[in-house]
Each structure stands twice: as C-alpha cells, then as structure tokens.
Amino acid sequence: MGKPPTKVGFREYAIYQIYPKSFRDTTGSGIGDLRGVIEKIPYIASLGIDMIWFNPFFVSPQRDGGYDVADYYNIDPAIGTMDDFDELVRTLADNGIGVMLDMVLNHTSTEHEWFQKALAGDKKYQDFYIIRPPAADGGLPTNWESKFGGPAWAPFGDTGNYYLHLYDPTQADLNWRNPEVRDEMVKIVNFWRAKGIHGFRFDVINVIGKAAELKSSAPGEDPRYMYTDGPDVNAYLQQLNAESFGQDPDSVTVGEMSSTSIQNCVEYSNPDNHELDMVFSFHHLKVDYLNGQKWSNVRFNPIDLKRTLNEWALGMQEGNGWNALFLNNHDQPRSVNRFGDPTTYRVESATMLATMIHMLRGTPYIYMGEEIGMTDPEYHSIDDYVDVEARNAYNALIDQGLDAAEAFTIVRSKARDNSRTPMQWDDSPNVGFTTGTPWLRPTNQEHINVAAEEQGGKILAYYKKLIRLRKQHLAISIGEYQPYQLEHPQVYAFTRTHEDEKLLVIVNLSDKEIAYDIPADFATGEVLIANYPNPTVADTIQLHPYEALTLKKEVVA
Ligand code: GLC
C-alpha cells in the first residue's frame, strides 16, 4: 500500500480532479472509462499529487453528467465495472494516491428506485422527497427557481402536488429532515468506506437543510437564501461525520458550498465543529458576472479577484476554517481564457494563475488539463454544447430578446462544457482520448497536449514544481497569510509565514509591464519559483506581463 494519508496531511495535499467521461476512453465508445484512468496512472503519479477527486461515476441516466444518481452502490456500466473500480483504487494506492468520491446527496435521479416507489404511491418513499401541494392561489408551492433555469417545482405524477428540484427536473431534492433519509446517506458513505475510500466531496451540501415550512422570498429578495446554509446543515454534517467518515482518522472531506458566506464556511470547516475538512466557495469566480448574472460576458477586473481571494483567505484564517483552492473545475470555463490570455501569453498566464492558487492558504485542486494549459474549445454553434445548463441558458437568452449571435457569445464565455472537452493527450484528431467519436468535440489540440508538454513544455513542469515545493515548505502548506499592497490595481501580492520562514508571492494579473516595489529583505532573498527565466530581483522589480514570483526572505543568522 502507498503512504497513508494523515489528518495533518490534507493541508499539504495537492488534489487532482478527473472528469472520468472525458479523461481516456479504452473501448472506442467515445466516453471515458475507469480502465482509461488505470492506463494513465503513470502520468497521474508523475504529477506528485496525493489524491484524485473523481466526478460521479455511479449508475445514472446522465441528464446532468452523472450528478443525477440512480444507484449509489454501483458503477455506471458506460464507465466501468466494480472490478475496474477496485483495481483502480488498489493501483492508485500502490502509487501513494488516495481516492475522493463525489457524493451527490442533496438529490437523486428521478429514475432512482426511491423516487419510482414514491411515484407509485409508497408513502414511506414519498417522505424521502420534498413534495408539497400547490400554494393557496393554486400556483407553485414557492417562487424558487431551478439553478438550471425555470421553476424549481415539477408536477409529482398526477397527484396535483409538486416535488422540489433545485437542479434539473430529473434531480429530485431529498428530504433530509427525515431521519431515514439521513440513515441512508450514512449507509452510502459507509459502503464506499468499506471499500477503502478515505476521500469524499459532498456536492452542493449547504442546500440540504431546508426548513419544514418552505417559504417564497419577499419581493426583491433572492429566493436562494430561503434554502441555502439552513440552520440544520451543521447538525446533518455532524451526524454524517460521527456515523461515517469521522470514524476514520485518515479521511479527507470537502463540501461544495453554493452562494454561501465566510461565516458559514468557517463553521463547516473549523475542526472543532467535526463537520468537514474544507470547503469550495465560488465568490471569486463571480467577478466576471455582470450584476451577479452568470449569463453575461464581461472581462473581470483584477482588483475584484484580489479582494475576494484576500477576504476569504483572511476570514477563513481568522475562524480557523480551511479553503479548497481552485480556479478550474468541471463547472467552470478554463481559467486561462477567463483570467489570463489564451493566445499571446498562454504559458505565462497559466503559470501565474497556478502560482496564485497554490500559494494561497488552503488545499489546491488541479482540474485535469489545467496542468498543460488547456483552453476553452472553439465552438461555433450551440449544437456543439451538450450540457443541459448551456442549452437552457441559450434558450432563455433568446426568449429575453437577444439575437442568436449575442446569446451564443454569452453561452460560449460561461458554458460548463468549456472544461468538459476530452483531455488532450496528443495531437491526433481525437487528441488521444478515443478511437471512436468523442461525446464532446475537442477543438484546439494542435499544440496543447500532454505529449508536447512532456517534451519540454513549461506549464506541466511548473505545476510539478509547485506541488513539490508545497511538501518542502511549511510556509506554503500551513503558513500564516497576510496581504501586501492590497490596493494595487493589477498586482496581487501576499506573504506566507511559518516560524522563521517568510515568503512573498507576487503575481501580475495583467498583460502590462509594471514596476513593483518590494521590501528590501526580500530583494536580497532567494527566488523559490518564477515563471520567467532568471528574474532580476531588486527593491523595484520590473514585472513582465503575467509574471509570477515567489521570494523567500533572507534569514539573518
Ligand atoms: C454541483 C456540481 C454540478 C452539478 C450540480 C448538481 O454544482 O458540481 O456539476 O450540476 O452540483 O448536482
């Protein structure tokens, strides 16, 4: 077996995220599979990462990329078998790599047997879901909206009642107030623990605590706050912790928190509360939303990104919480397109963004392809997109009166499929992903692929170095965070301090050359990592476009 993870360990972890459907297809089906991951273990191990978060691969009709689970205890046959899974876990462990499974416990697919039994009239299972009669005026029970557009309520068979679905109508929200539901959730986690799994990511876990009486929001009030971070979420997480993963000293857990607050995230991740190890939050990825609207196309302002990251770094530190750090995942466009420059400065901006994430206080997550600087696909038609959210958004924008070109430009800038295109292994027509027809079309593979990066590319080597440094310097993994010159409009800088080791991280979030002043004791210190060759360090540094530097303060003996 590989090295055992430890509780202290997750702070020095680097976690790699794999969207299995798009990683590597070994059967020619056009869909990635578990055997494809097994085949690529040497590559994954070469990164130096500690754990892999896999997006869900349980039995699912795939209406939402596997986040619509029809059976929590089996592997989707399109992706593999339980034997493949066991072999995958074993082989990864032999390489010192743990597995983090994605637990979608807020909702099930409507094809799940619980929902089917409920529909057939079984009262026990009706109480597994959130089913309500129409409002007094005959309308929907509340004014809540689905995150994928349209109302969050759908007719429950021909009963005249409605069931709640905060996501797609095929994803029915579970009733966590029912103790039997909570027992089932514990059972699911324990089933996978018994198979040797120590890592769990909990999908949209801060929306499980809905009140007994569901209420519409008042006019002008955001309905999301009627069900997000509800008062019972903490108690439910504590129960799950006590009855499942918390019994395992090696467990590593992360909760995905939608539309949350620092205070709530401190509570979820402060070790004294016995809930989760860390949290994903999304405020820093809303800096390119126009008036809070995701479906808009505006360029971010570096100062907003800096302020948000700083606020979360300080707030979580003060409350002894822990951030999961990321810019990319399967729901986000590629960060190089969004915060960097995918054409003129692809290498520089990819490595600069990586520096920022890996040097902040928290545990960094690397989404497959990020380590080779993958960019958004160049699609020209809405028909290229598969994701239900993108298609719904396009139709909604057209309904709002935008013309097809405007709607398409907006969807292209934010679509989740931007990151779901196949992992680019080589420059063959299907990027070394499949011999069949890929379920989602790759486009820009010519020069961005693993083979090219392994032959002297700069991004992959840079990620490996960042991961290595994290294990060598406690200032990176657990050091105290403090901002430096927070009001600078383009440059984000901060210090990380542990005992007598002090680092200064400087990243230029723009394509401008900038003269940047630093304290004298860093100007004579050591360059730990830099994304331009041979940086000249002095009291004033001439920063190049998207330059990133981490300096170690000179220690006077
Ligand atoms: C999370 C997942 C996303 C999914 C949603 C509903 O946000 O990351 O992909 O669509 O939850 O399960």
Side-chain angles (χ1 to χ4, degrees):
M1 292 291 276
K3 62 173 185 277
T6 63
K7 229 23 187 182
V8 179
F10 77 84
R11 296 188 167 85
E12 64 163 42
Y13 272 27
I15 300 183
Y16 190 65
Q17 183 192 350
I18 291 183
Y19 195 72
K21 252 179 118 171
S22 301
F23 195 62
R24 164 78 182 135
D25 167 25
T26 57
T27 64
S29 65
I31 295 173
D33 45 53
L34 297 185
R35 299 224 65 82
V37 182
I38 295 173
E39 184 189 304
K40 297 295 185 184
I41 289 178
Y43 169 72
I44 299 165
S46 77
L47 301 173
I49 54 104
D50 303 275
M51 188 168 251
I52 304 177
W53 154 25
F54 288 100
N55 290 99
F57 41 57
F58 312 105
V59 175
S60 161
Q62 299 288 332
R63 294 293 299 265
D64 181 25
Y67 283 90
D68 45 332
V69 181
D71 175 359
Y72 291 97
Y73 296 97
N74 281 296
I75 308 290
D76 196 299
I79 285 181
T81 64
M82 196 56 97
D83 285 344
D84 295 336
F85 176 78
D86 291 335
E87 183 181 332
L88 173 63
V89 174
R90 234 179 12 248
T91 319
L92 284 171
D94 290 344
N95 284 276
I97 299 170
V99 167
M100 175 180 271
L101 291 184
D102 203 326
M103 298 280 112
V104 191
L105 306 184
N106 173 65
H107 43 262
T108 72
S109 163
T110 49
E111 289 186 22
H112 193 287
E113 81 169 306
W114 299 336
F115 194 83
Q116 289 301 314
K117 284 186 174 163
L119 263 186
D122 188 327
K123 294 270 178 292
K124 168 180 153 104
Y125 289 104
Q126 287 179 356
D127 197 30
F128 269 44
Y129 294 93
I130 301 181
I131 298 166
R132 293 288 186 276
D137 65 359
L140 296 174
T142 66
N143 66 347
W144 302 358
E145 283 164 20
S146 151
K147 310 249 184 192
F148 295 159
W153 296 96
F156 183 63
D158 54 12
T159 61
N161 292 334
Y162 294 91
Y163 68 93
L164 178 70
H165 63 87
L166 291 180
Y167 296 85
D168 188 68
T170 65
Q171 293 166 296
D173 281 57
L174 284 162
N175 174 20
W176 276 70
R177 297 181 60 77
N178 178 350
E180 285 183 78
V181 168
R182 301 203 296 275
D183 289 347
E184 290 290 347
M185 301 294 114
V186 166
K187 235 173 87 187
I188 293 166
V189 176
N190 284 339
F191 172 84
W192 293 102
R193 280 179 65 219
K195 291 179 98 30
I197 303 305
H198 302 286
F200 296 100
R201 175 222 187 232
F202 294 100
D203 189 59
V204 295
I205 202 69
N206 64 330
V207 300
I208 59 174
K210 288 127 195 153
E213 195 194 337
L214 306 180
K215 292 191 181 134
S216 289
S217 58
E221 202 187 356
D222 188 335
R224 283 178 301 183
Y225 299 110
M226 308 307 290
Y227 56 78
T228 305
D229 293 320
D232 296 324
V233 177
N234 301 95
Y236 296 159
L237 284 173
Q238 283 159 5
Q239 181 187 348
L240 201 58
N241 178 313
E243 295 177 17
S244 66
F245 59 82
Q247 298 167 358
D248 176 357
D250 297 339
S251 66
V252 177
T253 54
V254 56
E256 186 200 27
M257 306 300 171
S258 92
S259 306
T260 187
S261 67
I262 294 176
Q263 185 47 42
N264 280 298
C265 286
V266 160
E267 287 176 22
Y268 297 137
S269 64
N270 182 315
D272 295 341
N273 290 354
H274 302 284
E275 296 180 29
L276 301 171
D277 290 325
M278 55 187 142
V279 292
F280 286 115
S281 67
F282 295 90
H283 295 260
H284 65 294
L285 296 178
K286 297 184 180 174
V287 295
D288 58 355
Y289 287 15
L290 183 63
N291 304 324
Q293 292 305 310
K294 167 168 175 167
W295 299 105
S296 56
N297 180 24
V298 290
R299 181 77 181 171
F300 85 112
N301 183 343
I303 195 93
D304 297 332
L305 182 64
K306 283 176 56 174
R307 282 196 187 129
T308 311
L309 288 171
N310 174 66
E311 205 187 321
W312 277 79
L314 281 179
M316 293 293 274
Q317 174 166 278
E318 275 159 25
N320 197 22
W322 197 253
N323 283 311
L325 304 166
F326 72 108
L327 291 175
N328 295 279
N329 71 20
H330 65 292
D331 293 330
Q332 302 290 332
R334 291 283 180 183
S335 62
V336 179
N337 288 72
R338 209 170 174 184
F339 304 117
D341 178 338
T343 42
T344 316
Y345 296 111
R346 187 180 66 91
V347 172
E348 293 78 2
S349 57
T351 47
M352 177 278 291
L353 293 169
T355 312
M356 180 175 80
I357 287 301
H358 286 243
M359 293 296 173
L360 278 165
R361 179 181 174 277
T363 299
Y365 286 67
I366 302 158
Y367 178 68
M368 63 177 212
E370 176 187 332
E371 76 280 14
I372 56 167
M374 273 177 65
T375 53
D376 291 344
E378 282 160 26
Y379 290 161
H380 301 288
S381 154
I382 188 68
D383 296 330
D384 284 320
Y385 294 87
V386 171
D387 185 19
V388 52
E389 189 202 36
R391 290 171 162 267
N392 289 352
Y394 180 79
N395 293 334
L397 291 166
I398 298 282
D399 287 348
Q400 285 162 28
L402 270 68
D403 68 32
E406 288 166 332
F408 181 72
T409 306
I410 290 176
V411 168
R412 189 165 68 173
S413 74
K414 295 281 165 49
R416 305 193 297 180
D417 283 339
N418 278 319
S419 57
R420 298 180 182 182
T421 56
M423 177 72 180
Q424 292 165 192
W425 296 103
D426 59 37
D427 64 1
S428 63
N430 284 326
V431 297
F433 165 66
T434 181
T435 53
T437 308
W439 72 275
L440 187 65
R441 196 163 65 84
T443 57
N444 42 5
Q445 67 273 22
E446 298 81 8
H447 57 294
I448 307 173
N449 56 68
V450 170
E453 276 294 318
E454 282 183 332
Q455 285 154 26
K458 295 204 175 79
I459 306 176
L460 184 59
Y462 194 89
Y463 269 85
K464 288 182 185 174
K465 185 165 180 188
L466 282 174
I467 296 165
R468 238 183 4 254
L469 285 173
R470 180 167 198 88
K471 314 244 180 276
Q472 294 162 352
H473 297 271
L474 288 170
I476 301 177
S477 53
I478 57 170
E480 194 206 316
Y481 164 94
Q482 283 304 328
Y484 176 73
Q485 291 196 23
L486 190 59
E487 294 312 316
H488 194 286
Q490 285 103 15
V491 178
Y492 184 22
F494 50 87
T495 55
R496 298 294 312 281
T497 310
H498 179 75
E499 295 174 352
D500 61 358
E501 183 175 49
K502 188 162 183 176
L503 309 179
L504 176 65
V505 182
I506 306 166
V507 302
N508 179 0
L509 285 160
S510 76
D511 60 1
K512 311 263 178 312
E513 301 264 350
I514 293 166
Y516 193 74
D517 294 333
I518 63 165
D521 45 1
F522 281 105
T524 49
E526 175 197 340
V527 178
L528 213 57
I529 183 166
N531 70 345
Y532 275 81
N534 311 318
T536 320
V537 182
D539 291 353
T540 301
I541 305 181
Q542 297 297 327
L543 291 174
H544 300 94
Y546 299 109
E547 181 156 3
L549 279 168
T550 299
L551 306 175
K552 193 174 147 181
K553 185 173 168 169
E554 182 188 26
V555 181
V556 187

